[in-house]
Amino acid sequence: MSGRLVLSNLRNLRKGAFVAKLLYSPSMNDVLLSRAERAIEASRVLRAQHRAVADQLENAKREVRRVVMESAMLRAELKALRDDREEQPAQHLVPPE
């Protein structure tokens, strides 16, 4: 039984290969090849664009982080200046010994 099944599958495979040979003539292969080449090239272009946009995004993130850090530093400096101004009048009120 299994021998018949294998033989039947081989016959179908041969028929399928024959039909495939008929369907895919050399001109059809050229058309498919050119379509595949265009798809590959389009994929390369899309990947390059994706990398460029990802790089821009990373640069923007870096810039935002830098600006946030500078802002935090300035806020800390302003707070220190305010604290110094508040402490200075209090120091003048204390009589020197």
Side-chain angles (χ1 to χ4, degrees), residues 16-85:
F18 178 72
V19 170
K21 284 181 184 176
L22 287 177
L23 290 177
Y24 296 109
S25 64
S27 64
M28 178 64 88
N29 284 337
D30 291 343
V31 171
L32 291 175
L33 182 62
S34 65
R35 285 180 65 192
E37 287 172 346
R38 285 194 307 267
I40 290 168
E41 185 58 32
S43 175
R44 283 185 189 135
V45 168
L46 287 174
R47 279 191 308 233
Q49 289 174 348
H50 180 269
R51 279 192 297 270
V53 169
D55 289 344
Q56 288 175 355
L57 180 62
E58 284 302 314
N59 290 339
K61 285 180 184 178
R62 260 187 252 115
E63 182 65 16
V64 165
R65 287 184 189 117
R66 185 188 64 77
V67 169
V68 167
M69 185 179 71
E70 283 182 7
S71 174
M73 289 170 49
L74 287 173
R75 285 192 313 256
E77 285 182 33
L78 288 172
K79 183 180 182 308
L81 286 172
R82 282 190 212 117
D83 291 347
D84 287 346
R85 286 185 187 149

